[in-house]
Amino acid sequence: MAISPETFTTRKRRSFMSPKVNDLSLLYSLLQLTDQISSLNLTNAASFLLNRVSSSTIRKTQLLGVVFEELLRVPNLNPNSVFFLCLEEMYILLHKIKALIEDFSSGSKFSLLMQIETVADNFHRLIGELSTLLDVFPVKQLDLNDDVRELVVLIRKQCSESKPFIGDEQIKLRHDVVTVLDRIKNEIVPEQALLSSIFEKLEIRDSSSCRAEIESLEEEIHNRHEEQSKTDLVALIGLVRFAKCVLFGASTPSQRTVTLRRNQSSELAIPSDYRCPISLELMRDPVVAATGQTYDRVSIKFWMDSGHNTCPKTGQTLSHTDLIPNRVLRNMIAAWCREQKIPFEAEAVTGKFHGGVTNKAAMEATRMTVSFLVNKLKGKDNVNLSVEDTNGVVYELRVLAKTDSDSRACIAEAGAIPLLVGFLDVGSGNLNPSLQVNAVTTILNLSILEANKTRIMETEGALNGVAEVLISGATWEAKANAAATVFSLSGVPAHRKRLGKKKSVVSGLVELARCGPEGARTDALAAILNLAADRDTVARLVEGGAVHMAAEVMAAMPEEGVTILEAVVKRGGLMAVAAAYAGIKRLGAVLREGSERARESAAATLVTMCRKGGSEVVAELAALPGVERVIWELMAVGSVRGRRKAATLLRILRRWAAGLDDRDNEGLSTSTMVTSSTTVVVPTSTTSIAQ
């Protein structure tokens, strides 16, 4: 059996405490609580699955409300300790009943179906507790009329005779779901008629209700602690995704998803400290690596599992692989998300999650879904898709490609990459901007898998297509995701060299970093920084204006700008120093007012420039007002690396003032090139710069 009902347990119960009062206000609270329970609206599907037990419980609660209302009308009510003890226990019990009804009526329909017996047993247990409370309720000691006393006796009798009940129709429906999952697990495509019958009975009748069901199942995963029940929920997600495409057709995202994506792109810039340096997306579970850098847990874990033993950001070797949760940052991100009305919970998963537990039914459902979608794009059903239908299929692939590594592998193996490349051109962007965005984003999501990076690089037209979107994309989102794709692909040294040789890639990144909105600029700057790790590519970055661009963006994005300048100057020789000469004043400003990381990079950049550029560069630095005081301050309060670079910088300035040469000529003879403002040392013919 692919899934067992016994593995499902209800989500962790909330705890409730009764108000610590010893007066009649407790009765008012109870009356209000019974009114709230009576007014709960059950969905039709929830009512169908648990109609008898839920309606019976709500009816008993309504009768209790009548009792509480009559107690408030009793003149000279003389409550005793037993009376109030019963009321306090009833308050807690009714809260549990309310929470149980709210959970199953607003949660996943499939999850409720699979744990229907457990939920019915929970109702029965709570009704049993109510029966016990009514047994000791001091009804005879209270000045109540006969009608109220008889009502209490009636409720107690109904509670004592209550039994858990599940109808045959519900049991059969659950059996049908288990049967479908078993067939999927055994690589048998389920019958469309059976799928349609199941979804109709659960009142899941269109793509939007499927999306809502998937979101509910994903929330259930986060509320579960048992690994087995999590894997079974993952299988249900796979089933709903497959049925969504087969029964209702591929569709574009809901308005909520569009708004969220827009908020996370150009219209709402995510603070740089909240973005993962690897994925460039909002961190959901920030953790600190051995080097002190913070990453999203999923991204850095995947990096390590891929065989890397270095810090992606600093390049330093990791002394250990322990990841320490950054709870302070996580709380800050969660608070920011609440302010921006952005859901914060971690992204959903399909076949694998957490410890790498794989669910066979979920994997096969994903494979069937991918096959169905790719065949649609290939036109195997001899049906020519409209542009809107094509966009829907590509969007579904985009969603799948974001879930996990197995889904990315399935999509690539099914031959989707060449098909996606066909939607990257300007024509597609003009015809349907959303289609171009979905295509390039799907390729970006696929590139996260290491094996797919090579597949993409070897696909004919893929690089040209990404470059075309980078330069002429129909939207900023498309351009930003093209830049992120370059960032992802350039994680492989061989791919980095090849990407750096394409002038269109370099020029597109530089222009996007210079003119795009903040989110797109961040993506472009991250890609440029990755390319700058290759010495041969640095020369092309300099020629493409990356140094001037970095100096320009330094005012608005000092950390990103100065980090790129440091990387380019470090590997770019005197050509890069000459290009960066005009940015010395900006570097001085960052050294004075930037963040700790930005000041550290600024100091390192200035050290490199002074050593490679000679006395003219040192003189320009020395002319900055108060520069020595700023350097002394960095030596006192900066990071370890920042203090070390500041000390070196101070030594260079002192040696220059004493007329001593502290320049590292690196085997180059020099001549001078006069610009409009000053003199810069540039290389001559002794050593050539890579072109």
Side-chain angles (χ1 to χ4, degrees):
M1 183 178 288
I3 190 169
S4 171
E6 287 74 17
T7 64
F8 279 89
T9 57
T10 52
R11 67 180 69 183
K12 186 178 180 181
R13 293 283 125 229
R14 290 167 274 177
S15 59
F16 306 100
M17 296 182 64
S18 62
K20 295 300 180 182
V21 292
N22 287 315
D23 54 38
L24 297 182
S25 63
L26 180 55
L27 274 174
Y28 285 105
S29 298
L30 282 165
L31 182 59
Q32 184 181 29
L33 190 54
T34 55
D35 288 341
Q36 291 172 355
I37 294 174
S38 301
S39 62
L40 289 176
N41 293 320
L42 301 182
T43 63
N44 290 335
S47 179
F48 161 69
L49 292 173
L50 284 169
N51 179 51
R52 183 163 174 174
V53 291
S54 60
S55 59
S56 174
T57 303
I58 291 175
R59 187 166 56 252
K60 292 179 178 63
T61 304
Q62 290 173 332
L63 294 177
L64 276 177
V66 175
V67 175
F68 296 143
E69 188 174 3
E70 289 299 321
L71 284 171
L72 286 170
R73 295 175 180 173
V74 173
N76 303 319
L77 184 65
N78 184 25
N80 54 38
S81 59
V82 175
F83 174 76
F84 271 110
L85 181 61
C86 285
L87 293 186
E88 288 178 357
E89 291 298 323
M90 281 186 185
Y91 184 87
I92 296 173
L93 181 61
L94 288 175
H95 260 299
K96 290 180 179 178
I97 291 173
K98 179 186 175 187
L100 183 59
I101 295 174
E102 288 176 337
D103 282 351
F104 81 72
S105 63
S106 62
S108 160
K109 299 171 183 177
F110 272 96
S111 178
L112 173 60
L113 175 63
M114 300 311 296
Q115 59 177 330
I116 190 170
E117 290 177 344
T118 303
V119 175
D121 287 341
N122 283 339
F123 271 114
H124 179 63
R125 176 178 54 80
L126 293 175
I127 294 301
E129 292 179 14
L130 179 59
S131 175
T132 302
L133 286 175
L134 292 175
D135 283 340
V136 298
F137 191 72
V139 63
K140 294 181 180 180
Q141 301 174 19
L142 300 173
D143 187 15
L144 299 174
N145 60 47
D146 292 340
D147 289 342
V148 176
R149 294 189 182 196
E150 290 177 2
L151 183 58
V152 173
V153 173
L154 173 64
I155 299 172
R156 183 170 55 199
K157 183 174 183 297
Q158 290 179 347
C159 291
S160 63
E161 295 176 353
S162 175
K163 296 179 181 180
F165 174 81
I166 301 297
D168 293 339
E169 191 175 0
Q170 289 84 350
I171 296 297
K172 182 182 183 304
L173 180 59
R174 186 178 64 186
H175 178 268
D176 289 342
V177 173
V178 173
T179 299
V180 168
L181 288 169
D182 274 336
R183 290 177 181 175
I184 291 175
K185 181 180 179 181
N186 294 319
E187 304 180 24
I188 302 172
V189 178
E191 298 173 6
Q192 185 168 335
L194 181 56
L195 281 177
S196 180
S197 172
I198 292 172
F199 278 69
E200 177 63 30
K201 289 177 181 177
L202 290 176
E203 297 198 342
I204 304 176
R205 294 168 176 160
D206 52 33
S207 293
S208 61
S209 57
C210 281
R211 281 193 295 264
E213 177 65 16
I214 290 171
E215 290 174 1
S216 296
L217 286 167
E218 289 168 349
E219 184 181 355
E220 288 282 336
I221 290 177
H222 296 300
N223 288 326
R224 298 298 174 88
H225 298 288
E226 303 83 3
E227 291 300 306
Q228 184 58 51
S229 66
K230 286 184 178 183
T231 60
D232 290 340
L233 286 169
V234 165
L236 290 174
I237 291 175
L239 168 61
V240 177
R241 280 206 175 105
F242 173 70
K244 174 180 178 291
C245 295
V246 172
L247 297 179
F248 312 116
S251 62
T252 50
S254 64
Q255 187 59 43
R256 173 180 176 273
T257 305
V258 171
T259 302
L260 173 59
R261 193 173 72 232
R262 186 182 297 123
N263 285 344
Q264 291 182 333
S265 56
S266 59
E267 293 190 9
L268 179 64
I270 299 173
S272 58
D273 289 341
Y274 296 172
R275 284 177 176 264
C276 174
I278 298 175
S279 67
L280 303 178
E281 295 185 352
L282 186 72
M283 287 188 281
R284 309 284 175 167
D285 186 11
V287 293
V288 180
T291 55
Q293 301 294 329
T294 298
Y295 301 94
D296 202 12
R297 183 184 294 276
V298 173
S299 298
I300 188 62
K301 188 73 167 58
F302 179 76
W303 172 268
M304 292 176 175
D305 291 345
S306 299
H308 298 94
N309 65 343
T310 58
C311 175
K313 192 162 188 178
T314 66
Q316 296 174 306
T317 300
L318 297 171
S319 58
H320 58 77
T321 58
D322 295 337
L323 300 174
I324 303 171
N326 191 336
R327 293 188 176 86
V328 174
L329 180 58
R330 189 181 192 279
N331 292 337
M332 291 171 63
I333 295 173
W336 180 82
C337 286
R338 284 193 296 271
E339 291 175 2
Q340 305 298 334
K341 294 180 171 54
I342 296 176
F344 177 65
E345 290 302 322
E347 296 291 345
V349 290
T350 54
K352 282 188 178 180
F353 60 94
H354 299 303
V357 179
T358 302
N359 183 287
K360 182 67 162 57
M363 283 299 307
E364 291 304 324
T366 298
R367 189 169 286 109
M368 291 176 185
T369 305
V370 169
S371 177
F372 178 84
L373 293 171
V374 172
N375 285 339
K376 284 282 187 183
L377 288 182
K378 290 179 178 179
K380 285 198 172 181
D381 297 331
N382 295 321
V383 176
N384 293 324
L385 297 178
S386 66
V387 175
E388 286 301 321
D389 289 340
T390 300
N391 187 36
V393 172
V394 174
Y395 173 74
E396 295 293 348
L397 289 173
R398 169 182 175 170
V399 173
L400 272 175
K402 192 174 183 180
T403 54
D404 59 20
S405 298
D406 292 319
S407 297
R408 297 178 192 114
C410 286
I411 294 171
E413 290 166 1
I417 295 175
L419 301 174
L420 294 168
V421 168
F423 305 122
L424 299 181
D425 56 57
V426 175
S428 295
N430 293 334
L431 187 63
N432 190 319
S434 179
L435 176 58
Q436 187 186 61
V437 169
N438 287 329
V440 73
T441 308
T442 306
I443 292 175
L444 166 61
N445 293 338
L446 291 175
S447 71
I448 297 173
L449 184 64
E450 202 74 11
N452 284 349
K453 295 183 194 297
T454 301
R455 286 191 177 106
I456 294 169
M457 294 293 293
E458 292 177 351
T459 299
E460 184 179 356
L463 290 190
N464 289 335
V466 171
E468 189 169 354
V469 176
L470 195 58
I471 296 171
S472 307
T475 65
W476 287 119
E477 184 183 4
K479 292 183 177 183
N481 288 343
T485 303
V486 174
F487 169 82
S488 177
L489 295 173
S490 61
V492 179
H495 301 342
R496 188 184 304 146
K497 284 182 177 293
R498 187 175 167 191
L499 287 163
K501 290 179 180 179
K502 291 191 73 66
K503 288 185 178 180
S504 56
V505 170
V506 173
S507 61
L509 290 174
V510 171
E511 187 62 23
L512 182 60
R514 179 182 284 119
C515 304
E518 185 174 344
R521 292 167 78 183
T522 301
D523 291 330
L525 290 168
I528 291 171
L529 185 59
N530 244 15
L531 294 179
D534 180 69
R535 189 174 293 273
D536 293 340
T537 302
V538 167
R540 298 182 180 88
L541 290 173
V542 175
E543 291 173 354
V547 174
H548 294 297
M549 174 276 300
E552 289 176 17
V553 305
M554 214 179 292
M557 307 174 73
E559 287 190 13
E560 291 84 350
V562 76
T563 302
I564 286 178
L565 204 58
E566 178 190 0
V568 173
V569 168
K570 180 180 179 181
R571 300 181 180 91
L574 297 187
M575 179 185 290
V577 174
Y581 187 86
I584 291 178
K585 290 183 180 179
R586 288 191 175 98
L587 286 169
V590 173
L591 201 62
R592 180 181 295 106
E593 301 171 354
S595 65
E596 180 179 291
R597 189 169 64 187
R599 296 174 75 190
E600 174 186 310
S601 294
T605 305
L606 288 169
V607 167
T608 303
M609 291 180 66
C610 289
R611 284 179 168 172
K612 293 185 176 183
S615 59
E616 289 82 0
V617 174
V618 182
E620 184 75 7
L621 175 62
L624 298 180
V627 67
E628 283 203 17
R629 179 184 60 79
V630 174
I631 293 173
W632 275 107
E633 180 183 318
L634 183 58
M635 289 173 61
V637 299
S639 64
V640 174
R641 180 171 179 255
R643 293 198 300 269
R644 188 172 68 251
K645 293 296 182 181
T648 302
L649 205 55
L650 185 61
R651 179 175 63 83
I652 291 173
L653 287 174
R654 292 292 173 81
R655 288 176 64 84
W656 171 82
L660 300 174
D661 187 6
D662 198 65
R663 181 181 62 202
D664 178 8
N665 286 320
E666 297 186 339
L668 294 167
S669 62
T670 60
S671 64
T672 58
M673 176 182 69
V674 180
T675 66
S676 59
S677 59
T678 187
T679 301
V680 182
V681 177
V682 296
T684 55
S685 59
T686 304
T687 303
S688 61
I689 300 294
Q691 298 298 318

